Amino acid sequence: MYFSQHDIQQFDDRYRALMINSLSGFKSANLIGTADKDGNENLAIVSSVFHLGANPPLMGMIIRPNSVPRHTLENILQTQFYTINHVNTDIVVSAHQTSARYDKTQSEFDAVKLTSQYLNDFSAPYVQQSRVKIGLALRYTQTLEINKTELVIGEIIDVHIECDSICDDGFVDLEKMGTVAVSGLDSYHSTKPLGRLKYAKPFEPPQFIDLENQQPSD
Amino acid sequence: MYFSQHDIQQFDDRYRALMINSLSGFKSANLIGTADKDGNENLAIVSSVFHLGANPPLMGMIIRPNSVPRHTLENILQTQFYTINHVNTDIVVSAHQTSARYDKTQSEFDAVKLTSQYLNDFSAPYVQQSRVKIGLALRYTQTLEINKTELVIGEIIDVHIECDSICDDGFVDLEKMGTVAVSGLDSYHSTKPLGRLKYAKPFEPPQFIDLENQQPSD
C-alpha cells in the first residue's frame, strides 16, 4: 500500500495522527513527574522521551504546543527539575489516564491513583509504582520553529532501579521490570526477548551474547 | 538500587553507555537508507528516530558525532533525501550488523545481505525486506551544542506499508508486521499486545478499544 504526501494531506486529522504516530516504530512510555513552586503536583504520560547521550547523561523529549503536558512544561521551566518514570504493565491504564485534560489544579497522581514519592531530597515527585525512576535537571529548551513543538533536554541527576535488573555490563533488563512500549497514540505492548547482539565488526558474522537467562532466537 | 550523578561519572565508558541507553525505555529500530550524489549506497541502524508531528508529518532523529551513521548524515546533507525502514524480526541480525564500521565505499546493503529498492522515483534506497518504508525530505538540521549530537528533522513524502496492517482509524499494526523494539545498545525485542485505550477524559474510567483481533488484557 502506497501513500503519497498528497494522500497524507487529505486524511482527516484523527486518521493522520494515528497513522503518522505509528510510523516511527515502537516508542518509550514514561510518566513525567513535576511540581510547581507551590508544590502542586503534575503527572503526564509522554511517548517522546529519547536517549541523547551517555556522557554527560542526557535525555530529550518533545512537548506539543497545546497538549496536556504543557502544565508539565510550565512546571519544569519554573522549578528546573522533573522526573521520568517508566510505565510498566501494572500501571499502564492509570498512566494512559493521565492524558485526560485535567485542570491545572488537579493532581493527576490523585486522579489516576498513582502515588507521588520524594527521594533523596530531589524536589520533583517520582511515581512510587514505577520500577525505573530518573531525576533530571533541565539543561536546555528550544521551540522547534518547524512545528512549534518544544525540545526539552535534561541531565540525569539521580537513578532508582529495582534490584537485580542490572546486568554485570550495565545493561538494564527492562523486560524483567515489565516496562511497556507504545505504538501509535494509544496502543501498549509488553515485550519478549529476541536476544542481545555483540558489538558488530566488519566481515565478522553477527553473534548473540550468551546470557544464562536469555534464550536468543531468530 | 540508587545511583547518584557522581556514581554515573565514575562508571567506565561501556558500562555507562549500556546503562544510560537503557533508561529512556524501549526505542524504535530503524534502518536509514541513503545514497551519495554518485549513487553509492549506505545503510545504518538507528534507535533514535522519534515522532515529531503529524501535520505536517515530521520525524526526528539524533546522529552521534563520531558514529557510523555519520556517513548517513553526509549523504543526507548532500542529497536532501533519505528513507526510514522498520526493522522486523526476520532482518534483526542483518540490521544490527550495519552498525559495524564499514568503509564509506562499502555498501552496507551488500555487506549484510539486505536488498536496496527504489520506489516511485524517490532518490534514496529503501530496504526491500522491510514492511514499513518511509521516504523523507530533509527539512532541518541542528548541532545540539550540549553534546555535539546532530538533530535531523525530515518531512514524510512517501509511505509504503504492507497491506492489511492499517486499521480503519489509521492505526498501523506494527506487531502484525513484526516490527521490533530496541533496549540499551544491543537488545532486540518483539512485542505482545496489552490493548489500545480510548481517548482519555477526566473523571471517566479508562476503557479499552474493542478490536476483534486484539484481546485487551491488564
Side-chain angles (χ1 to χ4, degrees), chain B residues 65-82:
Chain B
N66 298 306
S67 70
V68 174
R70 196 80 193 171
H71 297 158
T72 296
L73 181 61
E74 288 165 11
N75 290 348
I76 292 173
L77 293 172
Q78 202 172 82
T79 66
Q80 306 285 305
F81 292 99
Y82 58 108

Side-chain angles (χ1 to χ4, degrees), chain B residues 69-70 96 98 114 123 126 129 154 157 169 182:
Chain B
R70 196 80 193 171
H96 182 79
T98 64
L114 290 171
S123 65
Y126 294 97
Q129 291 85 347
I157 302 296
D169 62 358
V182 185

Side-chain angles (χ1 to χ4, degrees), chain A residues 153-168:
Chain A
I153 297 174
E155 181 168 352
I156 298 171
I157 302 296
D158 282 343
V159 178
H160 304 268
I161 303 180
E162 210 163 81
C163 284
D164 302 331
S165 297
I166 307 189
C167 296
D168 292 343

Side-chain angles (χ1 to χ4, degrees), chain A residues 36 40-43 68 70-72 74-75 97-109 111, chain B residues 201-203:
Chain A
D36 68 14
N40 297 307
E41 296 170 343
N42 218 289
L43 189 66
V68 174
R70 196 79 193 173
H71 298 158
T72 297
E74 289 165 11
N75 290 348
Q97 185 63 20
T98 65
S99 64
R101 293 185 173 271
Y102 294 104
D103 289 342
K104 172 119 175 61
T105 53
Q106 168 75 47
S107 164
E108 287 84 1
F109 282 102
Chain B
K201 294 179 181 170
F203 311 108

Side-chain angles (χ1 to χ4, degrees), chain A residues 1-5 8 13-28 30 49-55 57-59 62 64 86 89-90 92-93 96-97 99-102 106 120 132 134 139-140 142 144 146-147 149 151 153 155-161 163-164 166-172 174-175 179-181 183-184 186-206 208-209 214 218, chain B residues 1-5 8 13-28 30 49-55 57-59 62 64 86 89-90 92-93 96-97 99-102 106 120 132 134 139-140 142 144 146-147 149 151 153 155-161 163 166-172 174-175 179-181 183-184 186-206 208-209 214 218:
Chain A
M1 261 175 116
Y2 167 65
F3 302 96
S4 69
Q5 197 175 13
I8 293 168
D13 283 350
R14 178 79 184 164
Y15 188 99
R16 187 193 304 109
L18 266 165
M19 182 186 159
I20 301 297
N21 264 281
S22 304
L23 293 184
S24 55
F26 287 103
K27 301 186 280 191
S28 55
N30 287 294
V49 169
F50 57 89
H51 172 79
L52 187 60
N55 192 15
L58 298 171
M59 296 171 85
I62 301 292
R64 320 207 70 71
H86 283 203
T89 51
D90 293 339
V92 65
V93 174
H96 181 80
Q97 185 63 20
S99 64
R101 293 185 173 271
Y102 294 104
Q106 168 75 47
N120 287 68
V132 180
I134 307 151
R139 288 290 177 253
Y140 181 74
Q142 178 185 341
L144 298 170
I146 196 165
N147 69 348
T149 52
L151 170 65
I153 297 174
E155 181 168 352
I156 298 171
I157 302 296
D158 282 343
V159 178
H160 304 268
I161 303 180
C163 284
D164 302 331
I166 307 189
C167 296
D168 292 343
D169 62 358
F171 175 74
V172 182
L174 302 184
E175 217 148 59
T179 296
V180 305
S183 71
D186 53 27
S187 184
Y188 296 88
H189 308 262
S190 62
T191 64
K192 290 184 292 188
L194 293 167
R196 289 182 64 191
L197 281 157
K198 287 192 181 166
Y199 187 86
K201 294 178 181 170
F203 311 108
E204 284 186 22
F208 282 97
I209 295 173
Q214 190 168 324
D218 191 292
Chain B
M1 262 175 116
Y2 166 65
F3 302 95
S4 69
Q5 199 175 13
I8 294 168
D13 284 350
R14 179 79 184 164
Y15 188 98
R16 188 194 302 110
L18 266 165
M19 181 187 159
I20 301 297
N21 265 279
S22 303
L23 294 183
S24 56
F26 287 103
K27 300 186 280 190
S28 56
N30 286 294
V49 169
F50 57 90
H51 172 78
L52 187 61
N55 191 16
L58 298 170
M59 296 171 85
I62 301 292
R64 319 207 72 70
H86 284 204
T89 50
D90 293 339
V92 65
V93 174
H96 182 79
Q97 185 62 21
S99 64
R101 294 186 173 270
Y102 293 103
Q106 167 75 47
N120 287 70
V132 180
I134 307 151
R139 288 290 177 254
Y140 182 73
Q142 179 185 340
L144 297 169
I146 196 164
N147 68 348
T149 52
L151 170 64
I153 296 174
E155 181 168 352
I156 298 171
I157 302 296
D158 282 343
V159 177
H160 303 268
I161 303 179
C163 285
I166 307 189
C167 296
D168 291 342
D169 62 358
F171 174 74
V172 181
L174 301 184
E175 217 149 58
T179 297
V180 305
S183 71
D186 52 27
S187 183
Y188 295 88
H189 308 262
S190 62
T191 64
K192 290 184 293 187
L194 293 167
R196 289 182 64 191
L197 280 158
K198 286 191 180 166
Y199 187 85
K201 294 179 181 170
F203 311 108
E204 283 186 22
F208 281 97
I209 295 174
Q214 189 168 324
D218 192 292

